[in-house]
Amino acid sequence: MPGPHPRRIDVSVEHLEVVRRHLRRGTTERRVADRARILSFAAQGRAPGEIARGLGCGRNTVWRTTQRYEAEGLDAALYDRPRSGRRRRIFPPRPHPPPSVGVQPAE
């Protein structure tokens, strides 16, 4: 297969345990779980194309995740970077209007 040969990335034992914990939890966000699987498979020495096909993502996603892990660490590889722009504001729910005065229930 043309292109760069796969190389095994060195994932520390502590980081592998965090990755496995993310994969065992049922509440892990999908994109975080996919990135954790990418790191787990890359640590086993699997080729980026093989990882991408197995997870249904692009090879660029695999390359980007492994490169971010090597350059910036586990948190940078698993989680999105902060977005620019104003944060969303979530307002508390409005109180219900009081019942109308003088309205008699139907009999």
Side-chain angles (χ1 to χ4, degrees), residues 1-105:
M1 175 181 246
H5 294 290
R7 63 183 175 83
R8 188 170 187 249
I9 63 169
D10 293 323
V11 180
S12 70
V13 175
E14 295 86 16
H15 288 176
L16 276 176
E17 184 55 39
V18 171
V19 164
R20 288 185 186 116
R21 209 174 317 133
H22 276 295
L23 294 176
R24 281 192 303 258
R25 270 194 295 180
T27 58
T28 301
E29 203 176 330
R30 168 71 191 256
R31 72 182 103 196
V32 174
D34 283 346
R35 293 170 186 164
R37 285 184 188 97
I38 288 170
L39 291 177
S40 177
F41 292 145
Q44 296 170 11
R46 294 192 185 179
E50 179 186 353
I51 296 170
R53 279 189 302 278
L55 295 178
C57 65
R59 281 190 302 184
N60 284 340
T61 302
V62 175
W63 283 110
R64 189 173 45 247
T65 301
T66 55
Q67 287 176 345
R68 281 175 66 184
Y69 175 76
E70 290 178 326
E72 301 174 44
L74 184 63
D75 285 345
L78 292 180
Y79 303 107
D80 289 339
R81 292 184 175 130
R83 304 282 180 177
S84 63
R86 186 175 182 173
R87 291 181 179 221
R88 276 182 70 183
R89 292 177 55 195
I90 301 175
F91 296 99
R94 293 182 179 171
H96 295 292
S100 300
V101 178
V103 176
Q104 298 295 327

